[in-house]
Amino acid sequence: MKVRESEETYLETIFVLKKANAHLHAVDIANELGYSKPSVSRAVNLLRDRGYITIDASGHISLTPEGEARANDIYERHSVITELLVHMGADRTLAEDNACRIEHVISPEMFEILKAYKKTV
């Protein structure tokens, strides 16, 4: 998996999990993604080093303002693409799986076109 794609997967997962649980730990991310705890620990440390998250003394993970903005953008791409694929006839699981792949490669210009189109359907 490419670094950017992996980073985006982690940020989106943190964003979604934080909505449900204010006290998010690396183990929660590992459980959600089905990744090993050492892999998640390494990724979380990289996200912290890049300024996207903070980790307090208790191990609680929070998004920084920059991380929150980036994660929100990723989540928006995922949501819009999923809903368009469902509207086109895909079942939700198929749409979700494909949206996960598409969201990492779609250009900003193409995404804006999809967002505009979604408003018309």
Side-chain angles (χ1 to χ4, degrees), residues 9-11 16 22 27 30 49 60 65 72-73 79 86 95 98 110:
T9 298
Y10 279 101
L11 285 170
V16 170
V27 68
D49 294 347
H60 296 136
N72 187 57
D73 288 344
S79 299
V86 167
N98 280 274
M110 189 68 212

Side-chain angles (χ1 to χ4, degrees), residues 9-111:
T9 298
Y10 279 101
L11 285 170
E12 182 179 15
T13 300
I14 292 167
F15 183 80
V16 170
L17 291 176
K18 286 294 285 181
K19 287 183 176 190
N21 182 6
H23 300 290
L24 180 66
H25 292 87
V27 68
D28 301 315
I29 299 165
N31 290 338
E32 178 69 19
L33 293 174
Y35 295 170
S36 72
K37 291 176 190 170
S39 293
V40 171
S41 179
R42 181 177 182 282
V44 163
N45 286 327
L46 287 171
L47 291 174
R48 183 193 61 214
D49 294 347
R50 291 183 177 134
Y52 293 125
I53 64 169
T54 59
I55 307 168
D56 71 14
S58 300
H60 296 136
I61 297 170
S62 297
L63 290 162
T64 63
E66 182 182 358
E68 177 105 20
R70 182 139 183 248
N72 187 57
D73 288 344
I74 297 161
Y75 184 73
E76 180 186 31
R77 285 195 318 254
H78 180 93
S79 299
V80 167
I81 294 166
T82 298
E83 292 309 313
L84 284 171
L85 294 173
V86 167
H87 179 75
M88 293 168 58
D91 80 347
R92 182 145 304 268
T93 301
L94 181 63
E96 290 273 345
D97 290 346
N98 280 274
C100 283
R101 289 194 286 284
I102 295 167
E103 72 190 47
H104 299 294
V105 296
I106 193 168
S107 71
E109 298 83 9
M110 189 68 212
F111 180 65

